[in-house]
Amino acid sequence: MSKKAFIFDLDGVIVDTAKYHFLAWQKIAKSLNINFKHEDNELLKGVSRVRSLDIILGLGNVQATQEQKDKWLIQKNEDYLSYLVDMDESEVLPGVLKILKLLKDKNQGIALGSASKNARPILEKTGVLSYFDVIVDGNDVSNAKPDPEVFLKAAQLLNIDPKNSIVFEDSVAGIQAANIAEMVSVGIGEETILHEADFIFKDFAFIDENFIESLITK
């Protein structure tokens, strides 16, 4: 059986930490009198913390010094981490464990490719860290998606050709990054948003063994 690289984004793919990011960013925005709504949070998917802050400041036409930005970035991360304290296995999204176990049983390469700088503690708290052969997160890369650096690095560490790699993503930027890297892109979420993906599923519960088998043998 051929060995492929299966690369997973974290937020919105393995676990739903988007809600915690939203609460932390909303707290910052509120302190700056910026009306930050759930639909605005879509703009931050797959985007680095620094770029996310710039987007929020842009929504409120707020100018800030680098010193102020640094202070808000630290505050946002502290608030976000406080929400993660009570995370456990129940936070893993539907169908994810089934797919991870299947890929492990089939001796496939499994990697995380995420902009999050808190990926390891999140995977540990939710009990899925041991499934991953390689973890590439925001601490390991300098370019944010849609730059494909995070996925290319994951494939390289797995010693698998990018063209033999499959990416699971819930963001437009992530899908674009996978496509730029000439990897198979699998969107997890809404078809209207992720229409650039090669395949789209509402969540992992809709992905079966036959589909995974077809990706391995393709």
Side-chain angles (χ1 to χ4, degrees):
M1 183 180 287
S2 60
K3 188 166 185 174
K4 299 287 181 74
F6 286 82
I7 307 170
F8 296 77
D9 180 41
L10 178 65
D11 298 339
V13 174
I14 300 293
V15 291
D16 183 15
T17 51
K19 57 191 175 187
Y20 302 129
H21 283 295
F22 173 72
L23 290 171
W25 281 127
Q26 190 180 49
K27 186 175 177 182
I28 295 288
K30 191 173 181 181
S31 72
L32 299 171
N33 294 315
I34 298 171
N35 184 22
F36 183 63
K37 305 179 291 299
H38 275 285
E39 49 266 38
D40 297 323
N41 203 44
E42 286 292 318
L43 299 171
L44 310 187
K45 277 191 173 181
V47 174
S48 70
R49 196 184 309 163
V50 172
R51 178 67 187 131
S52 293
L53 177 59
D54 286 338
I55 289 171
I56 290 170
L57 294 177
L59 290 172
N61 293 314
V62 173
Q63 302 295 318
T65 65
Q66 191 56 51
E67 186 179 0
Q68 287 174 312
K69 288 182 181 182
D70 290 343
K71 182 187 76 172
W72 295 329
L73 288 169
I74 291 168
Q75 183 187 331
K76 185 269 172 181
N77 197 48
E78 288 175 350
D79 289 336
Y80 172 67
L81 291 174
S82 72
Y83 295 126
L84 301 185
V85 170
D86 297 323
M87 280 190 87
D88 58 23
E89 294 87 346
S90 68
E91 299 272 2
V92 178
L93 290 167
V96 170
L97 274 177
K98 174 191 72 175
I99 298 303
L100 289 176
K101 287 175 181 174
L102 181 61
L103 292 172
K104 207 71 172 172
D105 289 345
K106 293 183 178 293
N107 194 34
Q108 296 301 300
I110 306 175
L112 189 86
S114 168
S116 172
K117 292 191 175 183
N118 302 297
R120 282 175 177 82
I122 290 172
L123 293 176
E124 196 166 7
K125 281 179 171 292
T126 53
V128 296
L129 182 62
S130 62
Y131 287 100
F132 292 88
D133 304 305
V134 163
I135 295 171
V136 182
D137 63 18
N139 298 297
D140 306 309
V141 295
S142 53
N143 298 308
K145 303 166 189 173
D147 189 289
E149 181 187 8
V150 67
F151 298 146
L152 291 171
K153 191 162 188 176
Q156 181 185 22
L157 290 172
L158 287 170
N159 199 28
I160 294 174
D161 192 309
K163 291 182 180 179
N164 289 323
S165 303
I166 298 97
V167 171
F168 295 92
E169 260 285 357
D170 74 320
S171 73
V172 173
I175 294 297
Q176 290 171 343
N179 292 342
I180 291 168
E182 297 185 49
M183 299 176 173
V184 174
S185 54
V186 182
I188 304 297
E190 298 301 323
E191 190 171 351
T192 52
I193 296 171
L194 305 175
H195 56 85
E196 292 177 61
D198 295 316
F199 304 95
I200 304 169
F201 296 90
K202 188 173 177 61
D203 59 43
F204 280 92
F206 290 86
I207 300 178
D208 61 19
E209 184 170 353
N210 289 334
F211 176 70
I212 297 296
E213 192 72 41
S214 72
L215 293 174
I216 294 170
T217 56
K218 189 174 179 182

